[in-house]
Amino acid sequence: MTSIYQLAMGKAFDQLHPCIQARFGFSSQDRLASIGQGVMDRIWYAKWAAAPLMLGTTRHIMFPQGGRGIPFHIANFAYRDSYGRETVTWLRTFKFPRKIRKFDATMIYSGARDRIVDYLGNKQHLAVDLDLSVADNGGLRIRSTDQRFYEGRLGFAFPKLFTGEADVCEWYDDEDACYRISVRVRNPLLGLVFAYDGRFQTHFVEMDQGRIPLEAKPLREEWRE
């Protein structure tokens, strides 16, 4: 089975750096998990955005905290969710000196939308369409587009002026033999909201579907894409 990222990118996936292909090329049938550790060289947030970012901490989205040299852990699990969709988790943990912050997501490939849909947080309330492309350095560039909110029967699209548009690049640094990540989240009107840059190492571990940790899955699953 091809990964959700291969489905979304088609032949362009083969242009990615081999190490990036490995990180994004596994599916639930491979029974693997990618576990990484490293350091965020810099984490930054806009002070004016502290209140909405603090609200995001309750659902493991973003957070109003910054710093340098912050230890970082990332775990990616591939599994089939309760709706039968191929799913990849993104569990990010940032270990600040006096607080541990989390930024979680689950991604699926939507055939109807012909793209990756990223459910942010641990309750899949916020669904974000992603555009994937190959960066000049062989990394994977991810840019967010349309965003939707789901709660019970309620569902609506966010006006662009009220969204945070993410621009992410993950690549492999051959010289330093590590993965690097750069994230920028901007509001179309107010500018930069949240950002971080870092580096990490990863390794694969065998992972049967039945052994995926409970905390690797969202607290609720949303069927709407």
Side-chain angles (χ1 to χ4, degrees):
M1 176 185 293
T2 57
S3 76
I4 61 173
Y5 306 100
Q6 288 173 293
L7 287 173
M9 296 184 70
K11 293 182 179 179
F13 186 86
D14 298 331
Q15 300 173 25
L16 296 168
H17 188 287
C19 291
I20 296 296
Q21 290 187 44
R23 249 187 65 69
F24 290 86
F26 67 97
S27 72
S28 61
Q29 287 190 348
D30 295 309
R31 300 191 175 190
L32 294 172
S34 175
I35 308 298
Q37 292 189 5
V39 173
M40 289 295 111
D41 299 313
R42 175 178 177 263
I43 302 176
W44 178 93
Y45 74 97
K47 299 299 188 290
W48 59 262
L53 289 175
M54 181 58 74
L55 180 62
T57 63
T58 64
R59 295 186 178 182
H60 293 183
I61 301 180
M62 288 184 286
F63 44 84
Q65 198 155 349
R68 294 182 180 272
I70 306 301
F72 170 73
H73 182 273
I74 185 167
N76 302 106
F77 299 89
Y79 66 97
R80 290 274 182 170
D81 71 5
S82 61
Y83 298 105
R85 302 175 300 189
E86 184 74 11
T87 304
V88 177
T89 66
W90 289 80
L91 308 179
R92 310 168 186 91
T93 302
F94 304 83
K95 297 182 179 179
F96 291 91
R98 294 183 177 84
K99 181 73 71 172
I100 293 178
R101 298 295 192 186
K102 293 183 179 292
F103 185 6
D104 297 342
T106 42
M107 298 187 186
I108 65 161
Y109 173 75
S110 171
R113 294 182 179 274
D114 191 27
R115 65 184 65 246
I116 298 289
V117 173
D118 187 8
Y119 290 108
L120 299 181
N122 56 8
K123 294 185 178 181
Q124 295 193 343
H125 288 113
L126 185 60
V128 181
D129 291 346
L130 301 181
D131 282 345
L132 277 54
S133 61
V134 182
D136 292 340
N137 58 12
L140 178 60
R141 187 177 185 188
I142 303 173
R143 285 177 286 187
S144 66
T145 58
D146 296 340
Q147 302 179 19
R148 298 167 298 282
F149 180 83
Y150 299 126
E151 175 64 55
R153 295 183 179 182
L154 179 66
F156 61 87
F158 276 104
K160 286 191 177 296
L161 289 180
F162 296 99
T163 64
E165 298 175 349
D167 191 342
V168 179
C169 187
E170 182 176 318
W171 71 99
Y172 191 78
D173 186 330
D174 287 299
E175 184 174 347
D176 290 340
C178 67
Y179 291 92
R180 293 192 179 272
I181 180 77
S182 174
V183 175
R184 301 288 183 272
V185 180
R186 289 181 171 86
N187 176 269
L189 185 63
L190 300 173
L192 192 61
V193 178
F194 184 76
Y196 59 82
D197 300 280
R199 48 201 157 85
F200 58 97
Q201 302 282 359
T202 67
H203 66 280
F204 285 105
V205 298
E206 294 185 1
M207 184 64 59
D208 185 80
Q209 283 270 351
R211 292 175 48 225
I212 294 175
L214 182 62
E215 62 268 23
K217 298 182 178 182
L219 299 178
R220 63 176 285 272
E221 292 178 342
E222 174 59 54
W223 62 270
R224 290 165 292 186
E225 301 171 6

